[in-house]
Amino acid sequence: MASMTDNARVNAILQALFTSSSTFTITPGTGGGSAFVITPPYHLRLMTVQGSDNTNGTEMTTEYGYTAGSVSSNSLGATFCAAPSAGVQVNSNAVSWNATGTWPAIPSIEIWDAAATALRWLQGALTSSITGVANGDTVQFAAGAITLNAGSW
């Protein structure tokens, strides 16, 4: 059987999860499960070792102009993504760092929320690893550079 996903429902879920600028709770129905809290703003973490669907990657350490785990310096803005279309969303805001030394290779990124105990929401490999970053360089993810594609989940 081919994909049974309804794009209107996928778009509604993506919109709720990644375009809200306010914290809210999703509570499951009578079938059970645990409630969970959506805590924007989301922030971008640069990984030196890619994680998996079940395991976090290894984040770049706090050095050379990068602040590991920081909500403020790595923020993707009050509203992380633009409205979805056909199960696809892109980031609404740029995020950048000014290098103050030589960086290791960055093969992947992760998106984390701003909860007191932050939760990872998304992870993935970059199209090309970020390499060759040296003192004085700027590493930037422009608005529209990060794509969430529910069709590949």
Side-chain angles (χ1 to χ4, degrees), residues 6-96:
D6 182 287
N7 269 336
R9 298 294 64 80
V10 169
N11 287 340
I13 291 167
L14 288 173
Q15 180 108 19
L17 292 177
F18 301 119
T19 63
S20 177
S21 60
S22 301
T23 298
F24 64 96
T25 301
I26 296 176
T27 305
T30 57
S34 300
F36 60 96
V37 179
I38 307 299
T39 312
Y42 292 93
H43 58 281
L44 182 64
R45 294 185 181 187
L46 305 180
M47 309 316 259
T48 58
V49 175
Q50 184 174 351
S52 68
D53 291 343
N54 301 307
T55 306
N56 300 340
T58 302
E59 185 174 14
M60 182 173 158
T61 58
T62 297
E63 60 186 347
Y64 308 124
Y66 179 79
T67 305
S70 173
V71 174
S72 58
S73 66
N74 306 355
S75 177
L76 287 161
T79 301
F80 166 29
C81 284
S85 176
V88 176
Q89 274 183 304
V90 297
N91 62 307
S92 297
N93 304 291
V95 61
S96 63

Side-chain angles (χ1 to χ4, degrees), residues 76-147:
L76 287 161
T79 301
F80 166 29
C81 284
S85 176
V88 176
Q89 274 183 304
V90 297
N91 62 307
S92 297
N93 304 291
V95 61
S96 63
W97 299 268
N98 295 314
T100 59
T102 302
W103 284 21
I106 307 295
S108 62
I109 60 173
E110 294 183 358
I111 309 294
W112 289 67
D113 68 12
T117 300
L119 298 173
R120 182 180 75 152
W121 285 87
L122 302 163
Q123 64 86 26
L126 297 172
T127 304
S128 297
S129 292
I130 298 170
T131 59
V133 176
N135 187 36
D137 291 346
T138 298
V139 175
Q140 178 176 6
F141 288 80
I146 301 169
T147 302

